[in-house]
């Protein structure tokens, strides 16, 4: 009975969310509550839900302050000098432009937010692709690969969901696959070089004017991508917008920020924060809380400026944190009522014991194609806990299954999946259709998962 009820709960959550009959937030809360009542645990609801919420609270705190921190840095123009340098160095050679696209994406995607990554990179580079006559599918494809690999950061969607669903720490999930992530970064650069070489053979090396020598025209309204990079808050001077030679009438760019001590401070603070995150000097939620507090005090010293910043990014914070806490309701009920244990035992009874050590590899390899079928919430909060408990029953560490899951499911797959809204930002801004984008880059994205899987096996993140 508990196993059947658990499978029915997962199926109902998947069905309602995939058919859009209910929002993910509503399904994650009400379906497990109904299941607990049906299973005779109505009197324990308070304890079960609070237990689940307590487990995911650190993850919710971490992701909230991570969103605020990197949103602040984006507004402050942390990546604008990099964008200008890459454009100046690579804009006349299709191969170098393609590699620069990968480098820029890998850097900007550090915030773990696919939507902002797509807005910034595509708006900065699409005019260059158009002037050179390059295939826009190369732009959407390379951005897809880079954003997918960087989505593995502990505050990114897949890792956050995996940690919340299985109640694991970053040291359990992310740190062991960091070398495999390095394999993925190298592969993305190699793939961009190969794609760029193909474009160079098709187009040759073109000569365009140097944007640094061109005068700045009058100020014009910014596009959607430039708005994010060039936004201002109360009390800050408004930054002008620069149009480069060859840009169309609607194409705009943001000039670099003045080289002030504040730019240097933001860069140093971010580098120190990332190093501390990887070294786990303090728990991740604590590091982001402290990092954001320092950054907001220095960048926005007045109360009015701080309130403006919080108001601006409140929606993003609420959307992501409420999802994490809703997942806590689901996992708290499934775990507290022993449904998840019974489900795992049912699967263990039909899976050969010899398959246990191979389960992480199977999860890693199938994760990327499954991202086209499952939403991230459905996979991580519905499927992954069952897989992890099944692995535990077969003698395999559930953390290995979590590591395998983040190598493919909604990592290399999310920028191709029609089930994620940010995918449509990428293809819409690039001017390509979703089908063309998927056909063009699917094999490269799947190869990224395979490369990282091999890297994880070689570095011991999980075994074969």
């Amino acid at each position: 009975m508990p196993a059947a009820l658990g499978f029915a709960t997962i199926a109902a959550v998947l069905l309602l969310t995939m058919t859009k009959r209910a929002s993910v937030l509503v399904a994650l809360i009400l379906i497990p509550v109904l299941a607990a009542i049906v299973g005779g645990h109505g009197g324990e609801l308070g304890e079960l839900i609070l237990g689940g919420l307590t487990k995911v609270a650190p993850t919710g705190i971490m992701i909230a302050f991570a969103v605020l921190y990197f949103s602040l840095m984006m507004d402050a123009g942390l990546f604008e000098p990099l964008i200008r340098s890459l454009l100046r160095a690579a804009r006349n050679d299709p191969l170098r432009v393609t590699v620069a696209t990968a480098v820029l994406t890998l850097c900007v995607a550090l915030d773990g937010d696919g939507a902002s990554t797509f807005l910034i990179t595509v708006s900065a580079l699409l005019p260059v692709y158009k002037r050179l006559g390059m295939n826009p599918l190369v732009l959407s494809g390379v951005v897809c690969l880079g954003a997918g690999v960087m989505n593995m950061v502990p505050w990114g969607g897949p890792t956050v969901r995996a940690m919340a669903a299985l109640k694991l720490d970053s040291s359990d999930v992310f740190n062991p696959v960091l070398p495999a992530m390095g394999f993925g970064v190298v592969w993305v650069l190699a793939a961009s070089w190969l794609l760029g070489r193909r474009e160079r053979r098709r187009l040759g090396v073109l000569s365009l004017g140097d944007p640094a020598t061109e005068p700045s025209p009058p100020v014009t309204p910014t596009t959607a991508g430039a708005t994010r990079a060039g936004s201002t808050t109360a009390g800050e001077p408004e930054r002008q917008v620069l149009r480069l030679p060859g840009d169309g009438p609607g194409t705009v760019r943001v000039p670099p920020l003045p080289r002030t001590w504040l730019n240097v401070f933001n860069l140093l603070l971010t580098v120190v924060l990332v190093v501390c995150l990887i070294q786990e000097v303090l728990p991740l939620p604590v590091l982001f809380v402290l990092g954001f507090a320092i950054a907001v005090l220095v960048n926005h010293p007045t109360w009015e400026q701080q309130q403006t910043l919080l108001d601006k990014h409140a929606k993003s914070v609420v959307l992501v944190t409420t999802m994490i806490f809703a997942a806590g309701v689901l996992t708290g009920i499934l775990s507290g009522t022993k449904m998840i244990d019974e489900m795992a035992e049912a699967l263990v009874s039909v899976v050969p014991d010899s398959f246990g050590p191979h389960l992480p590899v199977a999860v890693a390899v199938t994760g990327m194609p499954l991202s086209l079928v499952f939403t991230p919430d459905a996979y991580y909060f519905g499927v992954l806990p069952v897989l992890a408990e099944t692995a535990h029953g077969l003698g395999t560490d559930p953390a290995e299954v979590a590591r395998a899951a983040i190598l493919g499911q909604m990592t290399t797959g999310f920028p191709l999946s029609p089930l994620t809204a940010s995918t449509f930002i990428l293809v819409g801004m690039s001017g390509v259709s979703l089908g063309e984008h998927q056909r063009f880059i699917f094999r490269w994205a799947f190869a990224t998962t395979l490369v990282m899987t091999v890297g994880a096996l070689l570095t011991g993140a999980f075994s074969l």
Side-chain angles (χ1 to χ4, degrees):
M1 173 64 178
L5 187 58
F7 282 119
T9 301
I10 299 299
V13 171
L14 295 178
L15 180 63
L16 289 176
T17 56
M18 293 179 67
T19 59
K20 298 184 179 180
R21 296 298 180 92
S23 68
V24 176
L25 182 69
V26 171
L28 287 174
I29 295 174
L30 295 185
I31 297 301
V33 167
L34 179 61
I37 295 173
V38 172
H41 300 279
E44 307 169 32
L45 270 179
E47 181 181 350
L48 295 172
I49 293 176
L50 282 179
L53 293 175
T54 302
K55 292 290 185 180
V56 300
T59 301
I61 294 170
M62 180 194 70
I63 192 66
F65 281 91
V67 169
L68 288 173
Y69 180 87
F70 283 107
S71 296
L72 186 157
M73 289 301 166
M74 291 293 181
D75 290 347
L78 179 64
F79 296 104
E80 287 179 23
L82 174 64
I83 294 173
R84 297 287 298 196
S85 298
L86 289 173
L87 290 175
R88 186 175 293 108
R91 64 190 297 271
N92 66 329
D93 183 350
L95 188 152
R96 287 189 288 164
V97 168
T98 308
V99 175
T101 302
V103 173
L104 179 61
T105 304
L106 292 169
C107 294
V108 175
L110 183 65
D111 69 344
D113 181 7
S116 64
T117 299
F118 301 152
L119 287 169
I120 293 171
T121 54
V122 175
S123 63
L125 293 170
L126 183 59
V128 179
Y129 276 71
K130 288 183 175 180
R131 289 200 300 273
L132 293 177
M134 294 178 64
N135 187 351
L137 288 171
V138 174
L139 173 60
S140 65
V142 172
V143 172
C144 163
L145 296 180
V149 170
M150 292 305 294
N151 207 32
M152 289 174 60
V153 293
W155 49 92
T159 308
V160 164
R161 290 181 176 94
M163 291 190 297
L166 302 186
K167 304 177 182 64
L168 297 172
D169 295 326
S170 174
S171 58
D172 300 317
V173 179
F174 175 72
N175 287 13
V177 298
L178 186 56
M181 183 178 176
F183 277 73
V185 170
V186 172
W187 165 251
V188 168
L189 295 174
S192 65
W193 186 85
L194 292 172
L195 291 169
R197 186 178 65 171
R198 190 165 66 186
E199 283 295 281
R200 175 193 272 179
R201 288 175 178 173
R202 186 175 69 87
L203 298 171
V205 178
L206 305 179
S207 177
L208 296 177
D210 183 0
T213 64
E214 298 292 335
S216 301
V219 177
T220 57
T222 58
T223 60
T227 301
R228 176 65 185 268
S231 57
T232 60
T233 56
E236 295 178 341
E238 183 177 357
R239 284 150 43 206
Q240 294 185 340
V241 177
L242 175 67
R243 188 148 50 201
L244 299 182
D247 285 338
T251 303
V252 293
R253 296 193 176 282
V254 180
L257 287 173
R259 296 184 180 276
T260 65
W261 68 269
L262 189 58
N263 305 128
V264 177
F265 172 83
N266 287 335
L267 177 60
L268 291 177
L269 178 62
T270 302
V271 171
V272 170
L273 177 60
V274 171
V275 171
C276 291
L277 288 169
I278 295 174
Q279 296 293 326
E280 289 192 285
V281 176
L282 291 171
L284 268 64
V286 175
L287 287 172
F288 272 115
V289 167
L290 294 177
F292 173 72
I294 295 171
V296 74
L297 179 63
V298 174
N299 286 267
H300 306 278
T302 68
W303 180 86
E304 290 81 5
Q305 292 175 1
Q306 294 170 8
Q307 286 299 115
T308 300
L309 176 74
L310 294 175
D311 290 342
K312 179 179 179 181
H313 300 292
K315 180 179 179 180
S316 299
V317 174
V318 170
L319 286 175
V320 69
T321 53
T322 51
M323 203 68 65
I324 295 300
F325 287 113
V329 176
L330 173 67
T331 57
I333 290 176
L334 291 181
S335 299
T337 58
K338 306 299 182 183
M339 289 187 208
I340 195 76
D341 297 330
E342 296 292 332
M343 295 162 66
E345 288 183 12
L347 288 177
V348 168
S349 65
V350 298
V351 176
D353 292 344
S354 59
F355 188 73
H358 307 300
L359 188 58
V361 174
V363 171
V365 172
T366 60
M368 186 266 171
L370 287 177
S371 68
L372 304 178
V373 179
F374 291 104
T375 66
D377 298 301
Y379 183 85
Y380 283 101
F381 299 134
V383 178
L384 181 60
V386 179
L387 294 175
E389 285 299 321
T390 302
H392 180 68
L394 295 173
T396 300
D397 186 357
E400 293 190 14
V401 178
R403 296 166 200 159
I406 67 173
L407 294 181
Q409 219 293 330
M410 301 314 296
T411 298
T412 54
F414 95 91
L416 291 93
S417 174
L419 303 177
T420 53
S422 59
T423 299
F424 295 96
I425 296 177
L426 174 60
V427 297
M429 292 190 65
S430 300
V432 300
S433 70
L434 179 61
E436 291 174 330
H437 172 67
Q438 290 175 329
R439 287 191 297 272
F440 179 83
I441 207 64
F442 179 89
R443 61 184 183 275
W444 297 92
F446 190 47
T448 307
T449 293
L450 297 180
V451 168
M452 291 195 294
T453 300
V454 172
L457 288 170
L458 293 176
T459 56
F462 50 78
S463 56
L464 182 60

